[in-house]
């Protein structure tokens, strides 16, 4: 996948991380809808999950 520390394709990193994440989000939404009967519960939980993942993956540490 990586060659010499660089991605072969520009969007490669994003596509590899988003496909499993979206599959898991779909499973979470379906499970919460079956449990609660409310579509907004799954949407809210997935929104929080995606926000936390985005913040965690874009964190920059300064020395």
């Amino acid at each position: 996948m990586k060659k010499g520390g660089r991605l072969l394709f520009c969007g490669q990193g994003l596509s590899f991380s988003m496909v499993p994440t979206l599959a898991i989000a779909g499973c979470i939404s379906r499970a919460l809808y079956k449990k609660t009967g409310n579509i907004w519960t799954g949407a809210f939980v997935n929104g929080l999950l995606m926000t936390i993942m985005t913040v965690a993956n874009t964190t920059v540490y300064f020395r």
Side-chain angles (χ1 to χ4, degrees), residues 3-5 7-9 15 18 22-24 30 40-41 43-44 52 57 62-63:
K3 190 173 188 177
L7 293 174
L8 294 176
F9 302 105
S15 64
M18 285 303 290
L22 291 175
I24 292 168
R30 184 169 169 87
W40 298 109
T41 307
F44 184 73
I52 291 169
N57 288 329
F62 296 102
R63 290 183 180 192

Side-chain angles (χ1 to χ4, degrees), residues 1 6-16:
M1 307 298 169
R6 296 184 180 176
L7 293 174
L8 294 176
F9 302 105
C10 214
Q12 183 179 4
L14 180 64
S15 64
F16 282 149

Side-chain angles (χ1 to χ4, degrees), residues 38-57:
N38 187 355
I39 62 169
W40 298 109
T41 307
F44 184 73
V45 169
N46 280 325
L48 284 175
L49 179 67
M50 297 299 167
T51 301
I52 291 169
M53 288 175 62
T54 302
V55 169
N57 288 329

